Amino acid sequence: MTAAMEQWSWPPRFDDGYFPQADSRYWFPHRETMPQAEREAAILARLQAICAYAWDHAPFYRRKWDEAGFHPSHLKSLEDFEEKVPVIRKADLRAAQAAHPPFGDYLCVPDAEVFHVHGTSGTTGRPTAFAVSQGDWRAIANAHARIMWAMGMRPGDTICVAAIFSLYMGSWGALAGAERLGAKAFPFGAGAAGMSSRCAQWLDILKPAGFYGTPTYAIHLAETAIRDGLDPRRFGLKYMFFSGEPGASIPSIRERIEDLYAAKVYDSGSMGEMTPWMHVGGSRETPGMLCWQDIVYTEVCDPQTHRRVPYGQRGTPVYTHLERMSQPMIRLESGDLTVWTNDPTPCGRTYPQLPMGIIGRVDDMITIRGENVYPSEIEAALCQLPGYGGEHRIFITREGTMDEMMISVELDPERWERGEDVRRAFHAQVAAHLHSMLGLRSVIEIVAPNTHPRTDFKAKRVIDDRAAFAEMLRRQEKVSS
Ligand code: 8LE
């Protein structure tokens, strides 16, 4: 087994000088293409080791598992794992950190070994800290370099990281991967006033091969560049990889970005807690994302029972670290929604796939008159329409017995200038298209280009606010009267 799996050890150890053959499609050829049954046997052994390690080092897990009647010695199969090991939730981590500040009683290394502290944005409630040891930082860098290799990036490529450098793991994870890959890391960042214009200018000068950010930001950045008289297709980008929100696996959004930049788009990303978060991440040849099971073991589960759903079905990802020592997550429930499949892949990797990426969060679902819809489906439908101006907002109200939804959609500048008839025609087109795609009628408002604020991070397009909804209705009445 050891000879069969490149650099697979517990505790994780990596040869930081290792590179695959230059013409190899795979970073670790055997580990990525081995028969699934063989990999699963190795994963089971690793899960046994990690559960024993967590039991010994983390009162948090001992407490949780005692309550559930689980002990690491009970773990004899992957079925035992899903049946006997309870899921943990973000709220559990928050509570553990409140009771045992700052890192919670699931920190498994001495405090002195903490190398980086990152965390959740904490816009609501107590933020959660991620304590990452130096060894774990190496593991993250190695895992990300491996997946970036699969996307096509190579040593010497310049890779622009256009996401905020703060506590957000997205930017730092991409940077660590770029460094380990032997790329020219270009940590441009994001988030300060005027940065988008400057980023466009730099991209035009530097012509990097790779770009990392959120899909929303990539679209905003292209709009900014065009406004500044630059052509994003001439930035010379080849690989654009994304995380943080749905988009890169949604065909109409992916194509929009690919068209704006004349580059290939790849999806990646689970959660900050699960860094190396690229462990669900794309490859050059396979659409959507792969579950790189030997980095993080992903189970797509029924959100109620937390048992794996059959391939082909929807469920929520539950993640377990296989290469982290500092704060290993064991069955962390993501609360996201995806569909997993297990077909032969064009790239030859024997990992299960998330062909549609991550659709959204389970609790993002909007139910209107019995029809369920996710915000990302609305975005996907709008991106299919020529004339879509690039931003929209979804207003919902849950007042009374019936939910209502209004979608405020920007028209592109050129059509907007053509006047009222064109606007009306677009209105009818949006209403009909959304009705046929989503199976429900909604109130549509067409607005001028750039009405809705842009973001350089993750978009927040749903406004569940009765007052705002009433205001929209009043505007609508004024327009039609
Ligand atoms: C659809 C993965 C990272 C570091 O980019 C990130 O955004 O981590 P964070 O801030 O902990 O947020 C995690 C949440 O972002 C996930 O639960 C999911 O709802 C969303 N998300 C992340 N990547 C994707 C995504 N949603 N597609 C993605 N590729």
Side-chain angles (χ1 to χ4, degrees):
M1 184 65 73
T2 333
M5 290 187 67
E6 300 97 324
Q7 299 191 32
W8 169 263
S9 65
W10 180 258
R13 270 186 303 274
F14 292 94
D15 171 1
D16 276 325
Y18 167 84
F19 280 96
Q21 300 279 332
D23 60 353
S24 173
R25 176 182 283 181
Y26 311 110
W27 182 269
F28 289 145
H30 185 75
R31 199 164 148 179
E32 294 172 29
T33 62
M34 66 199 289
Q36 274 189 355
E38 248 179 66
R39 184 185 296 116
E40 284 175 359
I43 290 172
L44 174 63
R46 176 61 58 87
L47 291 173
Q48 290 163 337
I50 290 188
C51 288
Y53 171 79
W55 180 271
D56 289 343
H57 292 83
F60 171 81
Y61 283 113
R62 274 206 300 278
R63 203 167 52 240
K64 268 257 157 206
W65 295 348
D66 267 341
E67 278 167 22
F70 170 73
H71 183 272
S73 63
H74 300 160
L75 189 54
K76 304 275 189 261
S77 66
L78 294 180
E79 288 68 36
D80 283 344
F81 186 65
E82 64 173 291
E83 194 183 317
K84 298 179 178 161
V85 181
V87 295
I88 55 171
R89 300 188 169 89
K90 285 168 77 119
D92 298 325
L93 303 177
R94 217 168 21 241
Q97 295 202 344
H100 304 274
F103 301 128
D105 56 350
Y106 55 99
L107 179 69
C108 294
V109 296
D111 187 76
E113 282 184 25
V114 174
F115 174 66
H116 263 240
V117 180
H118 290 263
T120 59
S121 56
T123 44
T124 51
R126 185 190 166 91
T128 305
F130 311 151
V132 187
S133 67
Q134 191 154 21
D136 279 2
W137 199 261
R138 296 311 321 149
I140 291 163
N142 276 275
H144 281 186
R146 180 177 161 201
I147 293 150
M148 289 161 70
W149 179 280
M151 293 174 180
M153 285 167 265
R154 291 292 177 269
D157 283 344
T158 302
I159 297 173
C160 175
V161 179
I164 188 164
F165 278 90
S166 176
L167 297 185
Y168 180 55
M169 281 308 306
S171 41
W172 290 95
L175 177 66
E179 289 174 347
R180 171 61 183 89
L181 189 65
K184 298 184 190 74
F186 180 54
F188 188 84
M195 253 178 129
S196 300
S197 275
R198 277 193 291 135
C199 188
Q201 199 183 5
W202 270 100
L203 291 173
D204 197 46
I205 296 168
L206 215 60
K207 312 276 184 221
F211 176 95
Y212 167 76
T214 62
T216 298
Y217 186 48
I219 293 173
H220 171 37
L221 185 60
E223 287 174 345
T224 307
I226 293 165
R227 217 170 25 242
D228 291 351
L230 298 172
D231 179 0
R233 299 174 68 86
R234 299 179 67 139
F235 293 164
L237 288 167
K238 290 199 275 192
Y239 320 101
M240 302 186 74
F241 62 115
F242 295 103
S243 75
E245 59 179 5
S249 292
I250 298 175
S252 57
I253 301 173
R254 182 175 61 226
E255 284 157 20
R256 188 179 177 86
I257 300 173
E258 291 188 335
D259 188 52
L260 282 166
Y261 288 92
K264 278 276 294 164
V265 161
Y266 301 98
D267 197 5
S268 63
S270 59
M271 307 162 74
E273 290 82 349
M274 292 312 305
T275 310
W277 49 258
M278 281 186 215
H279 67 88
V280 285
S283 76
R284 210 173 154 74
E285 304 83 356
T286 304
M289 301 198 271
L290 298 164
C291 304
W292 297 68
Q293 296 291 51
D294 47 37
I295 298 172
V296 163
Y297 177 56
T298 296
E299 306 164 278
V300 175
C301 293
D302 179 297
Q304 261 79 49
T305 64
H306 303 112
R307 302 293 302 264
R308 281 177 284 174
V309 297
Y311 291 117
Q313 291 194 10
R314 279 185 173 202
T316 191
V318 172
Y319 299 123
T320 299
H321 275 132
L322 300 184
E323 297 190 329
R324 287 279 308 264
M325 303 289 289
S326 38
Q327 284 176 325
M329 294 288 106
I330 301 176
R331 300 207 87 211
L332 179 65
E333 184 192 49
S334 64
D336 289 325
L337 186 78
T338 190
V339 175
W340 71 342
T341 55
N342 194 24
D343 299 322
T345 58
C347 67
R349 290 181 180 82
T350 50
Y351 295 124
Q353 308 99 47
L354 311 181
M356 304 192 321
I358 292 166
I359 300 160
R361 303 197 52 77
V362 172
D363 50 16
D364 276 352
M365 190 171 76
I366 305 168
T367 305
I368 307 282
R369 293 182 293 277
E371 294 291 336
N372 298 333
V373 54
Y374 280 86
S376 62
E377 295 171 312
I378 296 174
E379 186 186 2
L382 290 173
C383 279
Q384 290 170 340
L385 290 176
Y388 172 51
E391 261 307 339
H392 65 279
R393 289 293 181 274
I394 302 162
F395 295 87
I396 49 175
T397 175
R398 300 201 158 115
E399 207 163 18
T401 48
M402 291 253 242
D403 290 349
E404 286 294 345
M405 173 163 68
M406 176 187 274
I407 308 176
S408 174
V409 184
E410 289 183 7
L411 181 58
D412 73 23
E414 188 260 332
R415 286 178 174 80
W416 181 260
E417 288 309 320
R418 277 162 44 197
E420 197 52 41
D421 287 353
V422 175
R423 294 176 202 173
R424 267 187 218 285
F426 185 65
H427 184 283
Q429 202 187 0
V430 171
H433 187 61
L434 289 182
H435 185 204
S436 81
M437 296 302 291
L438 311 176
L440 56 90
R441 283 183 208 283
S442 39
V443 181
I444 306 295
E445 175 189 55
I446 304 301
V447 294
N450 288 310
T451 297
H452 300 302
R454 270 41 180 178
T455 176
D456 47 24
F457 195 45
K458 307 183 189 196
K460 285 199 181 63
R461 300 197 169 95
V462 180
I463 298 152
D464 187 350
D465 181 323
R466 287 162 204 179
F469 188 82
E471 177 60 26
M472 295 289 287
L473 276 180
R474 267 196 299 279
R475 285 220 299 271
Q476 186 86 5
E477 277 157 18
K478 243 193 261 163
V479 172
S480 53
S481 64

